[in-house]
C-alpha cells in the first residue's frame, strides 16, 4: 500500500502531491478509508479470491472498486490514500470487474457527501469508505480509451435510436458518467462527452429517475475537480441543467434539483466561488454560465426565481455590478416578467418580492409556491402581447401598492440604465421582456422607455429596430409621438431603398413597412393597409422592378397593391402616372416573360405568384381584376403547358377572381381544335374548369378529342373531364359520349371507366352521383348506398406494395431502326391487368425512358415482346431499374420493384444504311478514312472458339457486315448512338484467333470494344 509511502506512478499525482503523501499521519488520525482498503486487500478472503477465480467473494469484504475517494484536504481521506486506492483498483483482476451476483446494477458510483459539514455526516462504519453502505457492490471495468469513445460516439451520432436499441445503448450513459472521473482521458475528450449529453439528453436519460441520478453524478464530478482552472466546470453545469430539464426531474421532490439550484444561485452571486469550486480566473465565466442555467430553469418553470428578485437586483446594482451584466440582466427581466404574470393570475400583490434579500448559501428548502402556480410556459423569445390579450387583461388585475409600484419602477429603470452595455440581441430580448411586463399594468406608464428611444431610433441593428417596432405595437401613442412615428417610417423607407442592402435586410425593411404598427389605425385589427403617413411621393423609390430578386419584387408588389387600393380617388382625377397603370404594365411584362417557349420555370412561378398577390389584395376592384383575367387567358393561349400553374391558382384565389377566370379559360380551351398538340394540357385544364355552362361546346370538343386520345395517359385525362362533368350534373349528350368511349377506346381500363360512368349516370340521382364520385363528409350516409365504408374499401383507393408476380427478361437483339430497341419478354405468375412498367437509369448517360403499358397478361398465354426504345447520350452499358404498377383480379392497385435489367454494350449496336450493290467496299473505305484524324485506330487479338471466325461473325456481327470474304476476312461497320461509329477489320484468321484492326471516332469506346471482342469466343 502507498498510504505510508511508495514511489508514485508516472501518470499519478504531481511531485508535490506525492511528497505530501509520504508524511506520517498524525497520531490517532487513522483514516477509515485507508484502513478499510488495508483490511480488505490483505484479508484471507480477498487473497483467496485473487488466486481462485471460481471462489465467491464475501460481500462484507468487497468495496466499490469504482468509488472515488474524498478530495485531498477534506475530511475522509488524504492524497496518499487516494493514490493507494487507485493502485489497489489497478490490482483487481479482470474477472472481478464484473457485477457481483445478487447486486443491483448501479448506473454510477454512489455520490460522496464531502461538501456537507462534518456535523451533518453520520459516523463512519468500519469497512465502508465515506458514507457508502456496506454490502456487495458492482465492480466496474476500467475507463474506455479515447479511440473507443470516438468509435462509440460516431456510431451513436449516425443513428441515435438504433444505437440505443442495440447492446451498447444501455451502458452508454453509465460509461459516460463514469469516464468523466477517469484520469486517463484528457479534458478535451471529456468535453466531447459532455457535448453529447447536451445534444441528446432525452436518449441518455430517458426517464426522471435516470435524469436525477445523472445530475447527482455530474455534480459529484464537479465537486471532485481539483482547485486549479479546468475546462470542465462550465460544461458540467450546462450538462446537469440540461439533464434536469430534459428528464423532467425539476421539482420540489427532487434532491438533485435543490442541490443544483443552490449551487447555481451561489455561483451567480459569487459566494460559492472560493469554496473549492473554481479558480479565481474562472469567476466571471462561471457566474455567466450559472446565470444562463438559471434562466433556462426559469423558462421551463416560471416562478422558480420569484422569491429571489431582490437578490438579483442587488447583484446587478449594489455598488456596481457584482457579476456579468448581460446574463444577470436577462435573468432578472425573465424572472420579473414571470412573477408579474403569476401574481396577476392569482390576483395577489408582489408581497415584497422585489426587496427581499434571501441568502443563496445554505441548504434550506426552496420556495416552490410561485413555480407551482406558474404552469404556463412563457417563452422569452416570443412576442406575447401580439397574440394573447387574455394575459394583458390578467396583468391589469394586478394592483401593486405605492411602495411596490415604486420598487417595480426602480427595477425596470435599473435594467434599462445598463441595457446599453448588452449586445444588440440581448438588448432586444430585454426590451421584449420589459415591454410585456409593463403592458396593461396599472400605474406603470411607458415613459420609462422614453430615454432609450433617442438611442434606439437611430440604431442600425435589425434586432433592436424590431424591438422598437414591438414597443410601438405595445404602447402606441403613449410612448411614440407623431414625430417619432414619422421619423421611424421615413427611416424604414430610406433603408429599404439602399442599393447595397443584402436581400434578407431588404426583405426585413419591406416586411416592417407592410406590418407597420400605427398609433391610430383606421381599419379593423388584422386588416392589411399602408401606413397613413406613407404617401405616393415617399413610395416612388419602392416601386417593383423586373431586375429585383423575386422575393424583393413580390414584397414591393405587395406594397404597390395596397397603395392601389387606397389611391383610387387620385387615379380617377388623372393626376400623373397612377400606381394602377404601373401595376398593369408590370403584370404585362411578367406575362410576356412567362409566355416565352422554353423559358425558365422560375419566371412562370414568379408570374403566378404576382397574379395571386394582385388577386388577393385587390379582390374588390373590378377595374383591376378584369385586365388580370384577360391577361391570364392570353398567357394560357400562348403557353398551354402552364396548365398546372393555372389549376393551382384557381385553387387559391377567391370567387371574385376564380369564377370569371374559370369561365374565360373554359372558353379558351373549347375553342381549340380537338387534335391540338397540347391536347393533354387542355384536358387537364378542362377537368378543372368544366361546368354546366357551355355544355354543347365542351361535349363537341371532347368528341373531337376522343379520336386523338390514342395512348393511356390521354384517355385517362379525357375520362377525368367526363368525371368533372358528372359531378357538375351534366347529362344528355354526356351519356352518348360515354357510350361511344366505351366502344371506341383501345385501352380496356379506359373502356371500363367509361362504362362505369355511363352506368352511374343512368342509375343514380344527382345527389348520390356527386357523393359517389367525390366522397363528402357532409352526407356520409349516402356513401353506404354504393360501397361499404370499411378497411377493404380504403385499401382499394391506395397503391399497395406487393411481391412482384412478374418476370422480365431481355430477348433477342434487334439491330434495326434509328435507335436501339430492347425486346423484353414478360411472364406472369397470376393474371395482371393494366400493367405499367416504369424504367429509370441512374446518372445522365441515357435520356428518360417512356413507360410501357400492357392491358392484360395471363399465365400460360404467349405474349408479344415489349419494345423499349433506348436513347443513350453516350454509347455505354448501363442497368435499368424497373418498377411495375398493375391491378390484381381483386381490384387492388399494386406496385412492385423488379430485378434490374442490364443493357450491354452490344445492345446499342445499329447497322449503317445498306449501300448500293457493288459499292460496299468503297462505302466501307470512305467510312474507314473518315475516322481519322479526329478518331483513333487500335489493334487487338480476338480469340476464336473451335467453330472459327465464320461462325463467330454469323452469331454476333452478321447484321453489321459490309464486306465479307468468308471464311478469313470481314469488314464490319457499326453505328453507335447517338452519333459515333465503330469499324472493324477481321483478316487473316488463324486457328486460335484473328487480329482485329478497329477505328472509331470516339475514344471512350475503346475499352468497351476490347472487352466485347475478348468475350465473344467464350460466348460462342
Amino acid at each position: 500500500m502507498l498510504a505510508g509511502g511508495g514511489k508514485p506512478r508516472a501518470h499519478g499525482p504531481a511531485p508535490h502531491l506525492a511528497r505530501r503523501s509520504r508524511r506520517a499521519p498524525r497520531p490517532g488520525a487513522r483514516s477509515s478509508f485507508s484502513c478499510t482498503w488495508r483490511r480488505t486487500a490483505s484479508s484471507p478472503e480477498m487473497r483467496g479470491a485473487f488466486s481462485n477465480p471460481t471462489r465467491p467473494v464475501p460481500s462484507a469484504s468487497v468495496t466499490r472498486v469504482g468509488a472515488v475517494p474524498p478530495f485531498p484536504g477534506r475530511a475522509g481521506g488524504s492524497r496518499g490514500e487516494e493514490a493507494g486506492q487507485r493502485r489497489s483498483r489497478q490490482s483487481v483482476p479482470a474477472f472481478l470487474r464484473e457485477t457481483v451476483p445478487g447486486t443491483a446494477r448501479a448506473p454510477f458510483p454512489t455520490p460522496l457527501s464531502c461538501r456537507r459539514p462534518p456535523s451533518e455526516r453520520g459516523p463512519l462504519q468500519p469497512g465502508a469508505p465515506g458514507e457508502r453502505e456496506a454490502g456487495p457492490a458492482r465492480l466496474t471495468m476500467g475507463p474506455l480509451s479515447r479511440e473507443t469513445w470516438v468509435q462509440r460516439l460516431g456510431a451513436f451520432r449516425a443513428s441515435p435510436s438504433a444505437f440505443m436499441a442495440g447492446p451498447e445503448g444501455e451502458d452508454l450513459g453509465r460509461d459516460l458518467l463514469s469516464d468523466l472521473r477517469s484520469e486517463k482521458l484528457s479534458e478535451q475528450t471529456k468535453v466531447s462527452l459532455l457535448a453529447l449529453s447536451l445534444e441528446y439528453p432525452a436518449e441518455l436519460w430517458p426517464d426522471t429517475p435516470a435524469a436525477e441520478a445523472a445530475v447527482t453524478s455530474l455534480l459529484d464530478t464537479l465537486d471532485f475537480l481539483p482547485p486549479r482552472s479546468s475546462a470542465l466546470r462550465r460544461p458540467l453545469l450546462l450538462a446537469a441543467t440540461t439533464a434536469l430539464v430534459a428528464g423532467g426531474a425539476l421539482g420540489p421532490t427532487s434532491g438533485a434539483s435543490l442541490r443544483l439550484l443552490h449551487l447555481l444561485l451561489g455561483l451567480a452571486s459569487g459566494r460559492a466561488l472560493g469554496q473549492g469550486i473554481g479558480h479565481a480566473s474562472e469567476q466571471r465565466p462561471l457566474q455567466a454560465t450559472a446565470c444562463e442555467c438559471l434562466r433556462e430553469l426559469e423558462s421551463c418553470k416560471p416562478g422558480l426565481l420569484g422569491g429571489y428578485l431582490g437578490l438579483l437586483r442587488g447583484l446587478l446594482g449594489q455598488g456596481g455590478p457584482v457579476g456579468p451584466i448581460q446574463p444577470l440582466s436577462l435573468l432578472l427581466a425573465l424572472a420579473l416578467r414571470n412573477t408579474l404574470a403569476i401574481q396577476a393570475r392569482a390576483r395577489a400583490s408582489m408581497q415584497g418580492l422585489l426587496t427581499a434579500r434571501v441568502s443563496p448559501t445554505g441548504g434550506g428548502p426552496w420556495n416552490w409556491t410561485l413555480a407551482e402556480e406558474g404552469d404556463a410556459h412563457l417563452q422569452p423569445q416570443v412576442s406575447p402581447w401580439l397574440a394573447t390579450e387574455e394575459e394583458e387583461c390578467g396583468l391589469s388585475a394586478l394592483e401593486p401598492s405605492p411602495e411596490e409600484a415604486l420598487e417595480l419602477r426602480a427595477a425596470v429603470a435599473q435594467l434599462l440604465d445598463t441595457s446599453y452595455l448588452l449586445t444588440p440581441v440581448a438588448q432586444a430580448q430585454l426590451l421584449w421582456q420589459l415591454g410585456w411586463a409593463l403592458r396593461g399594468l396599472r400605474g406603470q406608464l411607458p415613459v420609462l422607455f422614453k430615454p432609450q428611444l433617442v438611442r434606439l431610433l437611430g440604431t442600425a441593428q435589425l434586432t433592436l429596430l424590431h424591438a422598437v417596432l414591438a414597443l410601438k405595437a405595445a404602447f402606441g401613442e403613449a410612448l411614440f409621438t407623431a414625430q417619432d412615428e414619422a421619423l421611424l417610417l421615413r427611416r424604414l423607407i430610406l433603408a429599404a431603398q439602399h442599393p447595397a442592402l443584402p436581400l434578407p435586410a431588404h426583405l426585413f425593411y419591406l416586411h416592417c413597412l407592410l406590418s407597420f404598427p400605427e398609433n391610430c389605425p383606421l381599419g379593423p385589427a388584422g386588416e392589411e393597409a399602408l401606413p397613413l403617413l406613407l404617401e405616393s411621393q415617399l413610395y416612388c423609390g419602392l416601386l417593383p422592378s423586373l431586375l429585383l430578386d423575386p422575393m424583393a419584387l413580390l414584397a414591393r408588389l405587395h406594397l404597390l397593391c395596397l397603395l392601389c387600393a387606397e389611391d383610387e380617388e387620385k387615379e380617377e382625377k388623372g393626376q400623373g402616372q397612377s400606381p394602377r397603370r404601373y401595376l398593369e404594365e408590370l403584370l404585362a411584362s411578367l406575362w410576356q416573360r412567362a409566355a416565352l417557349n422554353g423559358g425558365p420555370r422560375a419566371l412562370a412561378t414568379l408570374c403566378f405568384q404576382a397574379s395571386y398577390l394582385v388577386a388577393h389584395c385587390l379582390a374588390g376592384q373590378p377595374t383591376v381584376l378584369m385586365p388580370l383575367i384577360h391577361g391570364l387567358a392570353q398567357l394560357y393561349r400562348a403557353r398551354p403547358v402552364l396548365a398546372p400553374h393555372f389549376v393551382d391558382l384557381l385553387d387559391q384565389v377567391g370567387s371574385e377572381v376564380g369564377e370569371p377566370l374559370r369561365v374565360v379559360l373554359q372558353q379558351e380551351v373549347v375553342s381549340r381544335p380537338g387534335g391540338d398538340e397540347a391536347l393533354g394540357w387542355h384536358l387537364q385544364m378542362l377537368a378543372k374548369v368544366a361546368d354546366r355552362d357551355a355544355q354543347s361546346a365542351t361535349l363537341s370538343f371532347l368528341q373531337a378529342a376522343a379520336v386523338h386520345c390514342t395512348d393511356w395517359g390521354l384517355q385517362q385525362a379525357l375520362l377525368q373531364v367526363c368525371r368533372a362533368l358528372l359531378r357538375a350534373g351534366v347529362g344528355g349528350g354526356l351519356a352518348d359520349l360515354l357510350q361511344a368511349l366505351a366502344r371506341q377506346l383501345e385501352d380496356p381500363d379506359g373502356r371500363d371507366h367509361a362504362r362505369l360512368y355511363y352506368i352511374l349516370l343512368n342509375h343514380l340521382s344527382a345527389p348520390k352521383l356527386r357523393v359517389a364520385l367525390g366522397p363528402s363528409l357532409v352526407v356520409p350516409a349516402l356513401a353506404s348506398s354504393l360501397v361499404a365504408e370499411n378497411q377493404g374499401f380504403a385499401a382499394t383507393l391506395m397503391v399497395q406494395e406487393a411481391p412482384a408476380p412478374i418476370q422480365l427478361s431481355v430477348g433477342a437483339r434487334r439491330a434495326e431502326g434509328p435507335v436501339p430497341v430492347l425486346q423484353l419478354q414478360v411472364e406472369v405468375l397470376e393474371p395482371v391487368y393494366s400493367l405499367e412498367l416504369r424504367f429509370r437509369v441512374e446518372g445522365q448517360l441515357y435520356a428518360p425512358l417512356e413507360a410501357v403499358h400492357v392491358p392484360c397478361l395471363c399465365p400460360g398465354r404467349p405474349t408479344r415482346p415489349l419494345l423499349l426504345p433506348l436513347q443513350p447520350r453516350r454509347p455505354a452499358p448501363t442497368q435499368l431499374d424497373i418498377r411495375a404498377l398493375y391491378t390484381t383480379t381483386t381490384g387492388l392497385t399494386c406496385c412492385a420493384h423488379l430485378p434490374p435489367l442490364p443493357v450491354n454494350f452490344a445492345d446499342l449496336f445499329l447497322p449503317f444504311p445498306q449501300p448500293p450493290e457493288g459499292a460496299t467496299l468503297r462505302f466501307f473505305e470512305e467510312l474507314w478514312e473518315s475516322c481519322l484524324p479526329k478518331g483513333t485506330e487500335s489493334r487487338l487479338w480476338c480469340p476464336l472458339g473451335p467453330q472459327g471466325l465464320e461462325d463467330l461473325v454469323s452469331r454476333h456481327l452478321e447484321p453489321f457486315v459490309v464486306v465479307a470474304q468468308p471464311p478469313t476476312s470481314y469488314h464490319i461497320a457499326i453505328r453507335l448512338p447517338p452519333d459515333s461509329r465503330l469499324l472493324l477489320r477481321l483478316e487473316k484468321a488463324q486457328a486460335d484467333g484473328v487480329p482485329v484492326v478497329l477505328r472509331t471516332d470516339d475514344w471512350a469506346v475503346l475499352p468497351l470494344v476490347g472487352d466485347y471482342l475478348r468475350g465473344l469466343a467464350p460466348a460462342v
Side-chain angles (χ1 to χ4, degrees), residues 400-470:
S401 62
E403 295 79 9
E404 292 175 344
L406 183 63
E407 290 295 332
L408 183 58
R409 284 173 174 267
V412 174
Q414 180 184 5
L415 289 170
L416 291 176
D417 290 342
T418 58
S419 63
Y420 72 95
L421 299 174
L422 277 59
T423 62
V425 176
Q427 289 185 54
Q429 192 172 1
L430 181 68
L431 293 174
W432 283 97
Q433 300 285 359
L434 296 181
W436 184 92
L438 295 184
R439 187 191 184 202
L441 194 63
R442 295 182 181 181
Q444 298 299 323
L445 299 179
V447 294
L448 296 174
F449 295 95
K450 197 68 176 178
Q452 305 295 326
L453 290 184
V454 180
R455 175 175 59 89
L456 295 175
L457 287 177
T459 181
Q461 300 291 335
L462 299 184
T463 54
L464 289 179
L465 184 59
H466 194 203
V468 171
L469 292 173

Side-chain angles (χ1 to χ4, degrees), residues 162-163 250 376 486 493 602 635 643 648 658 712 738 744 837 929 957 980:
F163 185 89
L250 180 61
I493 295 174
L635 176 60
D648 185 50
W712 183 83
L738 291 173
Q744 177 182 342
L837 296 174
E929 296 298 333
L957 300 172
S980 302

Side-chain angles (χ1 to χ4, degrees), residues 753-831:
H753 277 82
R755 191 176 298 109
L756 173 63
Y757 293 158
Y758 178 77
I759 295 173
L760 293 177
L761 178 61
N762 290 331
H763 292 81
L764 293 181
S765 62
K768 288 188 177 182
L769 186 60
R770 283 193 294 270
V771 174
L773 297 176
S776 174
L777 297 178
V778 180
V779 281
L782 295 179
S784 61
S785 62
L786 293 177
V787 290
E789 293 185 351
N790 51 24
Q791 187 176 2
F793 174 63
T796 60
L797 303 179
M798 297 183 293
V799 178
Q800 309 290 326
E801 288 281 351
I806 305 166
Q807 296 179 355
L808 203 62
S809 60
V810 180
R813 189 187 310 166
R814 181 178 176 178
E816 59 183 25
V819 295
V821 178
L822 284 184
Q823 294 195 74
L824 305 179
Q825 300 291 341
V826 185
E827 296 181 4
V828 293
L829 305 178
E830 60 185 43

Side-chain angles (χ1 to χ4, degrees), residues 53-123:
T54 61
R55 181 175 179 179
V57 181
S59 59
S61 61
V62 178
T63 53
R64 297 177 184 262
V65 177
V68 181
F71 194 80
R74 299 173 185 168
S78 65
R79 298 183 185 271
E81 293 164 355
E82 177 187 5
Q85 186 188 9
R86 288 199 298 267
R87 284 161 171 76
S88 300
R89 182 168 63 241
Q90 286 187 339
S91 65
V92 178
F95 64 85
L96 281 179
R97 296 174 187 171
E98 302 295 335
T99 305
V100 178
T103 61
R105 185 172 185 174
F108 34 76
T110 304
L112 301 178
S113 57
C114 55
R115 288 210 171 268
R116 295 195 300 176
S119 59
E120 298 182 8
R121 305 180 188 175

Side-chain angles (χ1 to χ4, degrees), residues 815 910-921 923-924 927 958-964 971 973 975:
L910 293 174
F912 278 90
Q914 189 67 26
E917 187 176 354
T920 55
L921 182 59
F923 174 72
F924 182 81
L927 292 176
E958 185 174 3
F960 317 106
V961 176
V962 179
V963 181
H971 294 177
R975 186 164 57 90

